[in-house]
């Protein structure tokens, strides 16, 4: 049984009252990849890169970031990490 302050949504996600009821970033991303029939390995890789991107920008949500932040992250990978660079076509 859930405590009084928690509720379970139709999707099965537990949320606390007063907090956002929408699923978290990685949960919604994993679900989107699942319904598009991406493999588990691809999903894990995409989630790992998303975590690295978000952590690099001090836990800011990607919807609040743009091209400058993407370029900063890719530059960091190319210069600092040397070899873990991913080329993304425009």
């Amino acid at each position: 049984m859930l405590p009084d302050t928690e509720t379970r949504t139709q999707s099965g996600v537990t949320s606390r009252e007063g907090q956002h009821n929408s699923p978290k970033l990685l949960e919604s991303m994993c679900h989107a990849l699942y319904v598009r029939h991406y493999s588990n390995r691809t999903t894990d890789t995409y989630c790992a890169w998303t975590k690295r991107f978000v952590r690099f920008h001090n836990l800011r949500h990607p919807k609040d970031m743009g091209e400058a932040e993407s370029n900063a992250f890719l530059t960091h990978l190319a210069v600092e990490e040397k070899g873990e660079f991913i080329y993304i076509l425009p």
Side-chain angles (χ1 to χ4, degrees):
M1 185 168 148
L2 297 173
D4 293 337
T5 59
E6 292 185 343
T7 57
R8 190 169 294 273
T9 62
Q10 283 183 332
S11 63
V13 177
T14 301
S15 63
R16 294 184 182 269
E17 289 181 23
Q19 292 183 346
H20 243 228
N21 287 336
S22 62
K24 299 204 181 232
L25 173 66
L26 291 177
E27 290 173 355
S28 60
M29 190 171 114
C30 287
H31 178 71
L33 295 170
Y34 173 78
V35 298
R36 288 173 177 85
H37 304 289
Y38 280 68
S39 73
N40 291 339
R41 200 166 201 184
T42 301
T43 299
D44 292 344
T45 301
Y46 284 9
C47 288
W49 278 108
T50 302
K51 285 180 190 178
R52 286 185 72 177
F53 178 72
V54 169
R55 285 183 184 142
F56 178 78
H57 289 292
N58 300 316
L59 304 179
R60 287 176 52 204
H61 197 284
K63 72 178 179 183
D64 300 329
M65 295 187 265
E67 184 178 350
E69 288 83 3
S70 295
N71 287 337
F73 180 64
L74 294 173
T75 300
H76 164 76
L77 292 177
V79 174
E80 304 293 326
E81 306 267 331
K82 295 180 184 154
E84 293 195 38
F85 181 81
I86 293 180
Y87 182 73
I88 300 173
L89 296 174

